[in-house]
Amino acid sequence: MAETAEDKFQKGLEGVMAAETALCYIDGQAHPTGILRYNGYTIEELCENSTFEEVCYLLWHNELPTKAQLEQFKAQLVANRDLPPEIIKLLASFPKDANPMDVLRSATSCLALFDPDNKDNSAAANERKAFRITARMSTLTTTWHAMRQGLEPVRHNPKHSMAADFMYRLLRKEPDPVEVKAFDVGLILQAEHGFNASTFAGRVTVSTLSDIYSGIVSGIGALKGPLHGGANENVVKMLLKIGEPSKVDSSIKEMLANKERIPGLGHRVYKTMDPRAAVLIKYSKQLGERAHDTKFYEMSTQIQTLMKQLKGFDPNVDFYSASVFYYLKIPTDTFTPVFAISRDAGWLGNFMEQYRDNRLLRPLEKYIGYQERPYMALEKR
Ligand SMILES: CC(C)(COP(=O)(O)OP(=O)(O)OC[C@H]1O[C@@H](n2cnc3c(N)ncnc32)[C@H](O)[C@@H]1OP(=O)(O)O)[C@@H](O)C(=O)NCCC(=O)NCCS
């Protein structure tokens, strides 16, 4: 019998290929860790030798930049850091206890209104918008953090890289180069990951030929959820709640007995160790040792071992980015905005790719409701 659309139904679109991409290759089965390459370059090599800016260039142009191209690219990002004054006024009107992801989603959407290329969907205009969006999502996050504390936002230093700029303006002091490197690695590792939920949401949006701001806002909305980018915040909340290495075993077993999900563990694509977690674990250890406070690192490795024994799950990127960001003193509710600032690079690369060879993304649904029913007039219901 011929296969029907219903035979192909996959809950959660698991295993379904929705479009082609040249941006990233994932092997979620390889041992001892999975494989992740951006445009052919392993994430390990990129983390060792490149910066987040180089990775943005790679994801938008499918090639690593030359020295001259990189300088020009970085200058464009720096030149676009400032927010329009109307957006600063808008931020000032937000409630001070607003969730930073809600602020980022709402304010990024409003940035479109002040973008001179808002109505131009050409490739050249999209690249100009990509610089503004990337630079300003970072400024939005650091500015909001200052404003919610009643502090004056810090002016940027044009000599700072994206990573250093974020740390300098968020934490209001010149960042330590070792910490900047760890943060930059965090940005590189979260930059791109195929058709994850937020990238897919954004690609669906731009596949209607809507604009890239709309795609980014779709991505931010999808990333916020605890099954996706929101997991990193929940990892720290869990570590704080468990409190002590001696309580890891009983706490995790209790959570599992209560059918709770352990944040940062398991993955739809990796059925082995997420290679991003394998890179971040080293930074978690290094930063913990520098801070003379390895408790979170130790508790994390304990949870990793226990979850492997009990459920066979390995850590994903969120698991160790959580302790890395914690050691960098980033406020917990700002972890997911950091993920968004980083994944923005991949979202934009994906949107450019989608526009170049567009076909409306529109899957089918399996109908499980009533078949035809007799209509009943309102007064008879
Ligand atoms: C990432 C994730 C959503 C992938 O899920 P998925 O491929 O759709 O798998 P499912 O949600 O169908 O889960 C399959 C089973 O594993 C269990 N499971 C998955 N992740 C789990 C976790 N972290 N802790 C405990 N149980 C987990 C589910 O409860 C489910 O069990 P059941 O079949 O008895 O109901 C899932 O692993 C998860 O929720 N992880 C925690 C959140 C997280 O870290 N997200 C960031 C991902 S980068």
Side-chain angles (χ1 to χ4, degrees), residues 201-250:
R203 270 185 91 134
V204 169
T205 298
V206 303
S207 84
T208 69
L209 297 184
S210 184
D211 66 292
I212 59 171
Y213 277 95
S214 299
I216 294 286
V217 173
S218 304
I220 297 173
L223 188 73
K224 185 183 165 200
L227 297 188
H228 191 7
N232 53 15
E233 298 184 14
N234 288 339
V235 173
V236 161
K237 286 180 195 152
M238 171 181 71
L239 294 173
L240 286 168
K241 197 167 159 208
I242 296 174
E244 287 301 324
S246 63
K247 294 193 183 138
V248 163
D249 196 87
S250 57

Side-chain angles (χ1 to χ4, degrees), residues 34-47:
I35 295 171
L36 174 59
R37 297 189 203 115
Y38 297 162
N39 237 287
Y41 299 104
T42 67
I43 49 155
E44 291 82 4
E45 266 182 310
L46 291 169
C47 287

Side-chain angles (χ1 to χ4, degrees), residues 124-142:
N126 279 340
E127 171 127 5
R128 290 194 294 275
K129 285 186 267 190
F131 282 118
R132 292 185 198 117
I133 293 170
T134 303
R136 290 176 184 172
M137 277 174 62
S138 177
T139 307
L140 276 174
T141 303
T142 56

Side-chain angles (χ1 to χ4, degrees), residues 56-278:
C56 285
Y57 189 100
L58 175 66
L59 294 171
W60 300 358
H61 296 102
N62 299 319
E63 291 295 343
L64 281 170
T66 62
K67 243 179 176 179
Q69 286 167 334
L70 181 61
E71 285 317 309
Q72 213 184 3
F73 191 81
K74 287 198 298 193
Q76 281 295 322
L77 286 170
V78 170
N80 283 292
R81 275 181 186 160
D82 284 340
L83 298 173
E86 294 86 350
I87 297 294
I88 311 236
K89 277 193 211 134
L90 179 78
L91 289 177
S93 73
F94 288 170
K96 296 281 174 284
D97 62 351
N99 176 286
M101 270 305 263
D102 290 340
V103 170
L104 185 64
R105 187 198 58 230
S106 307
T108 303
S109 182
C110 292
L111 277 177
L113 305 173
F114 301 97
D115 193 311
D117 288 309
N118 192 17
K119 295 192 176 80
D120 186 348
N121 229 6
S122 66
N126 279 340
E127 171 127 5
R128 290 194 294 275
K129 285 186 267 190
F131 282 118
R132 292 185 198 117
I133 293 170
T134 303
R136 290 176 184 172
M137 277 174 62
S138 177
T139 307
L140 276 174
T141 303
T142 56
T143 302
W144 172 247
H145 185 57
M147 289 172 87
R148 68 175 172 171
Q149 297 174 91
L151 299 170
E152 195 58 35
V154 177
R155 277 280 314 142
H156 78 98
N157 174 348
K159 294 204 176 98
H160 282 155
S161 64
M162 283 274 301
D165 173 64
F166 182 85
M167 294 187 72
Y168 173 64
R169 292 209 269 173
L170 189 83
L171 304 173
R172 313 178 77 84
K173 64 177 174 71
E174 202 52 52
D176 173 308
V178 174
E179 296 187 352
V180 172
K181 176 65 189 173
F183 187 65
D184 197 48
V185 163
L187 292 180
I188 292 173
L189 291 175
Q190 296 179 129
E192 163 59 12
H193 208 235
F195 271 35
N196 59 91
S198 57
T199 301
F200 184 59
R203 270 185 91 134
V204 169
T205 298
V206 303
S207 84
T208 69
L209 297 184
S210 184
D211 66 292
I212 59 171
Y213 277 95
S214 299
I216 294 286
V217 173
S218 304
I220 297 173
L223 188 73
K224 185 183 165 200
L227 297 188
H228 191 7
N232 53 15
E233 298 184 14
N234 288 339
V235 173
V236 161
K237 286 180 195 152
M238 171 181 71
L239 294 173
L240 286 168
K241 197 167 159 208
I242 296 174
E244 287 301 324
S246 63
K247 294 193 183 138
V248 163
D249 196 87
S250 57
S251 305
I252 293 294
K253 285 179 180 159
E254 193 184 324
M255 284 174 79
L256 290 175
N258 291 337
K259 302 252 172 276
E260 285 177 58
R261 289 189 180 216
I262 314 300
L265 276 297
H267 200 275
R268 173 64 68 78
V269 178
Y270 294 113
K271 300 305 168 200
T272 177
M273 175 93 164
D274 181 333
R276 301 166 298 176

